[in-house]
Amino acid sequence: MLTIKKVYGLQVPIPAHPPRPSEEAALPRLGYLLKHAALHYAELTSAELAPLGITPQEWAALNCLDDQPDRSQKEVADLLGIDRTTMVALIDRLQTQAWVERRPHPADRRKNTVTLTPPGRAILHSGATIIDNCEHQFLAALGAPAAHQLKQALRTLITANQSR
Amino acid sequence: MLTIKKVYGLQVPIPAHPPRPSEEAALPRLGYLLKHAALHYAELTSAELAPLGITPQEWAALNCLDDQPDRSQKEVADLLGIDRTTMVALIDRLQTQAWVERRPHPADRRKNTVTLTPPGRAILHSGATIIDNCEHQFLAALGAPAAHQLKQALRTLITANQSR
DNA sequence: TATTGTTATACTCTATAACTATA
DNA sequence: TATAGTTATAGAGTATAACAATA
């Protein structure tokens, strides 16, 4: 049984004998497919990043800080889709590892800027290699064109269903 | 901000200006795509089923019981990917609504069989219509062939990454 | 010995409410 | 008045441990 927790309810029973990819009929429902693909992939990345002592979410936070430095906590929270109250503890953990620093925002003293440290940047880059590997490994069962189409289709769906 | 909780950490920052589907470069990472597609879809189904007083997970449990009646609690738990201890409360809720009945298993007195009642079957079928609608609506931004390819690709990935 | 259902308990991830400082 | 960071708290969804009944 999968050990990743707290992902939303299944939409469909798991067939006792999962249909082979070549079969046309009886595709499981979309909710089952999306949830389980996300679940398996989260497990993979979580396990692969574990030796670095970082979770996928923490790595994602570092990644936000890399592509545009000195974001506020609130900005990072919005990018990750979590509340600013939840962000506090996340940044606390990153700061404990000395991967980021909090500094008062020069122009707005309500804000903290969050900045990558050199060790933070190192972890980010090690993590990026691992994440890239995970993606390649996970998508290996599809050909490269199908993998690309999958990603494009997912992006289309996310954009089209944004408001929900 | 999405209200569905407890789905695993993001893999990637959300671009401030999400790329248009026509752009080739800078597709978000797989983890972000899978998580957010699953998240948006779970929100949709959850909202659409709410008037029936049933969650996607509860509906999925009823659905398991429909395609093969008189399963044990443990069997349903395994199909849903949750622990048998978690199943107890789920079945409790379904039983409170009089959608299922627990009966001692005739051949193995350690087990309960869980059986759909007529009202349970009615809710299951109303829910199925809603779920089918959700799927159609959610996939509307893709053409029918692309939607089918997406589902097939997801099934392939789940099968290929089963062990994780 | 192993399995099923059950209860008690605890963990993880997240949000809401309320506070302080600042805008 | 509104916003950023913070703290305390609560809730949802889940699992682990331990027990009784049964295999």
Side-chain angles (χ1 to χ4, degrees):
Chain A
M1 188 169 302
L2 295 176
T3 56
I4 296 273
K5 305 159 191 180
K6 294 154 210 169
V7 174
Y8 225 69
L10 292 181
Q11 310 297 323
V12 85
I14 301 167
H17 299 288
R20 279 164 288 122
S22 60
E23 286 177 20
E24 276 304 312
L27 271 167
R29 288 186 193 263
L30 183 62
Y32 170 80
L33 293 167
L34 288 174
K35 175 186 166 177
H36 279 253
L39 204 57
H40 287 300
Y41 189 66
E43 252 215 344
L44 175 62
T45 55
S46 193
E48 295 293 312
L49 286 176
L52 261 53
I54 194 170
T55 66
Q57 192 181 44
E58 288 164 356
W59 181 83
L62 297 182
N63 199 29
C64 290
L65 296 171
D66 187 45
D67 65 50
Q68 184 187 314
D70 298 337
R71 295 190 194 264
S72 72
Q73 294 186 197
K74 177 64 159 50
E75 284 171 335
V76 179
D78 288 345
L79 291 168
L80 263 57
I82 63 178
D83 197 82
R84 73 189 201 281
T85 62
T86 307
M87 199 67 210
V88 175
L90 206 172
I91 300 285
D92 284 349
R93 290 194 298 275
L94 298 177
Q95 199 174 27
T96 300
Q97 302 290 325
W99 290 332
V100 302
E101 285 174 2
R102 281 176 166 106
R103 297 208 199 90
H105 193 287
D108 184 341
R109 294 195 311 188
R110 294 172 302 183
K111 298 183 180 176
N112 291 334
T113 61
V114 186
T115 314
L116 274 180
T117 63
R121 196 170 298 279
I123 283 286
L124 171 64
H125 292 149
S126 309
T129 305
I130 291 173
I131 293 286
D132 287 344
N133 245 312
C134 286
E135 185 161 332
H136 187 262
Q137 182 181 337
F138 191 79
L139 295 173
L142 304 173
H148 191 250
Q149 276 168 28
L150 171 73
K151 291 183 70 175
Q152 282 193 317
L154 290 172
R155 184 177 57 181
T156 300
L157 292 180
I158 291 166
T159 303
N161 294 279
Q162 204 68 270
S163 62
R164 291 192 256 273
Chain B
M1 188 168 304
L2 295 175
T3 56
I4 296 272
K5 304 161 192 179
K6 293 157 211 168
V7 174
Y8 226 67
L10 293 180
Q11 310 299 324
V12 84
I14 302 167
H17 300 287
R20 279 165 288 121
S22 59
E23 285 177 21
E24 275 305 311
L27 271 168
R29 287 186 194 264
L30 183 62
Y32 169 79
L33 293 168
L34 288 173
K35 175 185 166 176
H36 279 254
L39 204 56
H40 288 301
Y41 189 65
E43 253 215 345
L44 175 63
T45 54
S46 192
E48 295 292 312
L49 286 177
L52 261 53
I54 194 169
T55 66
Q57 191 182 44
E58 288 164 356
W59 182 82
L62 297 183
N63 199 28
C64 291
L65 296 172
D66 187 46
D67 65 50
Q68 184 188 314
D70 298 337
R71 296 189 194 265
S72 73
Q73 296 186 195
K74 176 64 159 50
E75 284 170 337
V76 179
D78 289 345
L79 291 168
L80 263 56
I82 62 177
D83 197 82
R84 73 190 201 279
T85 61
T86 306
M87 199 67 212
V88 174
L90 207 173
I91 300 284
D92 284 349
R93 290 193 297 277
L94 298 178
Q95 198 174 27
T96 301
Q97 301 290 326
W99 291 332
V100 302
E101 285 175 3
R102 282 178 167 105
R103 298 207 198 90
H105 193 287
D108 184 340
R109 294 195 311 188
R110 293 172 302 183
K111 298 183 181 177
N112 290 334
T113 61
V114 186
T115 314
L116 274 180
T117 63
R121 197 170 297 280
I123 282 285
L124 171 64
H125 292 149
S126 309
T129 304
I130 291 174
I131 293 286
D132 287 344
N133 245 313
C134 286
E135 185 160 332
H136 186 263
Q137 182 181 337
F138 192 80
L139 294 173
L142 304 173
H148 191 249
Q149 276 167 28
L150 171 74
K151 291 184 69 176
Q152 282 193 317
L154 290 172
R155 185 177 56 181
T156 300
L157 292 180
I158 291 167
T159 303
N161 293 280
Q162 204 69 271
S163 63
R164 291 191 257 273

